Amino acid sequence: MALVNENFLKLPGNYLFSDIAKKVNAFKVIHPEAKLIRLGIGDVTRPLAPAVTQALHAAVEEMGNEETFRGYGPEQGYRFLIDAIIKNDYEPLGVKLDPDEVFVSDGAKSDTGNIGDILRRDNRVAVTDPVYPVYVDTNVMGGRAGELGEDGCWNNIVYIPCNAENNFIPQLPEKRVDMIYLCYPNNPTGTVLTKKELKKWVDYALENEVLILFDAAYEAFIQEDDVPHSIYEIKGAKQCAIEFRSFSKTAGFTGLRCGFTVVPKELIGRTADGQKVAINPIWNRRQTTKFNGTAYIIQKAAEAIYSPQGKIQVRETINFYMENAKIIREGLAETGLQLFGGVNAPYVWLKTPNDISSWKFFDRLLYECHVVGTPGVGFGPSGEGYFRLTAFGNRMNTQEAVERIKNWKI
Ligand SMILES: *Cc1c(COP(=O)(O)O)cnc(C)c1O
């Protein structure tokens, strides 16, 4: 008899986006004529940069040619891409990395989820709340979360609330933890940590031997100087942090699939009997066994975003989204709604007025403005009373949604 991993049975269904879809469908039946505007999705909408599609075409031709055909590549990624990453993403920050510290992957979702493979089940996990659900759910699957309580929290996970009261700056946990997920710029709140604030976390992690799992998927959206693009800009971070990056939001690769993870060779963990072990070779072993590399043509496409043309084109798209974010922020500022994020990230996080619930706000926005967003409570208990709007829409819809909300009697 095959016994299943019962941790999977503990997981409640992920109903957030299906609940949203049901509510939107019900609305459409009642109001078939209404022009709905969707500012809820966390997916990009602009097409790939021409430099990327050219690289894709060229790589496809190579694969169809006997002389240039390639089969299995290195599980860690091709050197042409790893070298481009180090040269363009890290050297300008003053961060030196060896090629074998960078692992190309099929995206940050897989890696932030898979990292649990190499970490013992009895580590205590901390997350900021609200949170990207992958961190929590994969720890439930791995048996680290305990049981789900009435309050929506898993009893073995330490939740660090991020809300308007603390200005979305997570406090260091009072309880001892072994690993913590930090996502900055943050999804869903769109907020960031300054260098000084992130240093506080690195210092704490070094002092207490905590592993920081740093998700920098939105790094390319940072506009302000004092916001770190990589955790390795902070001294000592190579000894306590793994960094996850993705080309998904940076360059519209949500459908192509490519990202990378940095596991510094200085990063040390411990065995249960207290011996120090390097984490890099363990992750390498995991990847070479369970992962067979990102497709060659996709890695060639990713390399193209670092070409002179690619850089300009990718920047134009990011600027386009950030202009949307500005339109939302500045437009809604007049409404008196309390707004957060949207400056260094493509998400605007708002406090619902008069303490109405996230879902009540969702329903009213849908029925009274015909605008779809995402209820904050869907990202964790501390998201209750908040709401997320994304900057990934087209310009006209974004402007119109803002106009409708401005004219709305909330
Ligand atoms: C979109 C997103 C990612 C990227 O996931 P991919 O698998 O690379 O597409 C990672 N982390 C967060 C927080 C995200 O929102």
Side-chain angles (χ1 to χ4, degrees):
M1 182 74 72
L3 304 179
V4 301
N5 177 350
E6 287 169 9
N7 292 315
F8 280 71
L9 308 181
K10 292 182 183 176
L11 279 169
N14 186 356
Y15 296 121
L16 177 62
F17 289 98
S18 64
D19 285 351
I20 291 174
K22 273 184 212 153
K23 281 176 179 279
V24 169
N25 286 338
F27 169 84
K28 278 189 187 161
V29 171
I30 305 167
H31 301 283
E33 75 303 333
K35 184 177 172 273
L36 264 184
I37 298 178
R38 295 173 188 272
L39 296 183
I41 43 157
D43 196 356
V44 297
T45 54
R46 306 289 297 164
L48 294 168
V52 169
T53 54
Q54 280 158 21
L56 274 170
H57 283 296
V60 167
E61 286 307 316
E62 281 185 65
M63 292 298 274
N65 198 311
E66 195 171 349
E67 281 71 51
T68 48
F69 167 77
R70 293 175 189 239
Y72 290 126
E75 292 95 339
Q76 302 87 343
Y78 283 102
R79 272 299 289 272
F80 63 77
L81 179 55
I82 292 174
D83 290 345
I85 288 167
I86 293 175
K87 181 163 173 274
N88 293 284
D89 283 340
Y90 289 97
E91 276 178 12
L93 304 176
V95 176
K96 289 206 167 55
L97 292 176
D98 287 340
D100 55 355
E101 295 178 302
V102 178
F103 296 84
V104 175
S105 71
D106 64 355
K109 186 185 201 176
S110 326
D111 281 6
T112 52
N114 290 333
I115 197 72
D117 263 18
I118 65 163
L119 297 160
R120 260 177 79 104
R121 200 181 67 93
D122 43 8
N123 282 300
R124 186 183 292 278
V125 176
V127 295
T128 57
D129 173 30
V131 66
Y132 181 56
V134 175
Y135 315 150
V136 172
D137 290 0
T138 56
N139 278 293
V140 175
M141 294 171 183
R144 285 184 209 94
E147 303 300 324
L148 186 58
E150 298 273 314
D151 57 356
C153 294
W154 296 86
N155 64 354
N156 283 346
I157 291 187
V158 174
Y159 291 78
I160 304 172
C162 293
N163 49 38
E165 284 69 49
N166 58 29
N167 211 13
F168 300 90
I169 298 170
Q171 300 293 296
L172 299 175
E174 285 163 20
K175 249 191 194 167
R176 162 131 210 112
V177 304
D178 304 296
M179 41 192 276
I180 165 126
Y181 293 81
L182 295 177
C183 174
Y184 288 99
N186 188 259
N187 177 15
T189 66
T191 60
V192 291
L193 293 184
T194 61
K195 284 195 178 131
K196 190 167 153 243
E197 285 150 3
L198 188 58
K199 182 178 185 308
K200 192 181 73 179
W201 279 94
V202 170
D203 291 345
Y204 158 81
L206 289 171
E207 202 163 302
N208 297 282
E209 293 197 17
V210 178
L211 174 63
I212 298 178
L213 301 160
F214 192 75
D215 185 343
Y218 296 94
E219 163 278 325
F221 294 83
I222 294 171
Q223 311 287 315
E224 292 178 319
D225 287 340
D226 198 29
V227 180
H229 287 253
S230 163
I231 193 166
Y232 305 122
E233 289 178 59
I234 314 293
K235 200 163 160 268
K238 279 189 185 174
Q239 287 151 47
C240 64
I242 292 174
E243 178 161 292
F244 303 93
R245 291 232 192 154
S246 171
F247 298 110
S248 285
K249 317 299 162 39
T250 304
F253 273 50
T254 51
L256 288 189
R257 311 305 309 140
C258 194
F260 62 91
T261 293
V262 179
V263 187
K265 286 187 275 196
E266 291 167 51
L267 183 66
I268 301 294
R270 282 190 193 270
T271 60
D273 59 6
Q275 304 210 38
K276 289 186 172 180
V277 279
I279 292 182
N280 174 290
I282 307 178
W283 181 247
N284 188 52
R285 190 70 170 88
R286 191 264 169 214
Q287 289 298 84
T288 52
T289 301
K290 290 198 182 180
F291 183 62
N292 237 343
T294 304
Y296 173 72
I297 60 171
I298 304 300
Q299 293 191 60
K300 288 303 280 183
E303 181 195 24
I305 74 171
Y306 297 112
S307 69
Q309 281 309 312
K311 279 183 185 171
I312 295 168
Q313 293 161 1
V314 163
R315 188 48 49 192
E316 275 171 7
T317 299
I318 289 172
N319 290 345
F320 175 88
Y321 292 134
M322 292 314 289
E323 181 65 24
N324 281 349
K326 191 171 166 208
I327 289 167
I328 298 172
R329 264 192 310 119
E330 291 182 355
L332 299 192
E334 298 171 26
T335 63
L337 284 165
Q338 254 190 299
L339 304 166
F340 309 93
V343 178
N344 297 293
Y347 298 118
V348 174
W349 188 246
L350 60 89
K351 177 109 192 65
T352 63
N354 312 319
D355 282 328
I356 67 173
S357 74
S358 293
W359 277 113
K360 177 87 188 160
F361 188 84
F362 174 92
D363 288 336
R364 288 198 48 197
L365 190 67
L366 174 61
Y367 279 84
E368 294 166 33
C369 297
H370 306 172
V371 172
V372 182
T374 315
V377 71
F379 299 99
S382 294
E384 180 56 289
Y386 293 88
F387 199 79
R388 191 186 76 174
L389 296 174
T390 85
F392 288 133
N394 73 34
R395 182 61 43 80
M396 250 175 52
N397 283 351
T398 303
Q399 280 165 334
E400 188 172 340
V402 167
E403 284 311 309
R404 290 184 194 173
I405 298 171
K406 272 163 62 175
N407 297 324
W408 183 29
K409 302 274 173 290
I410 308 179

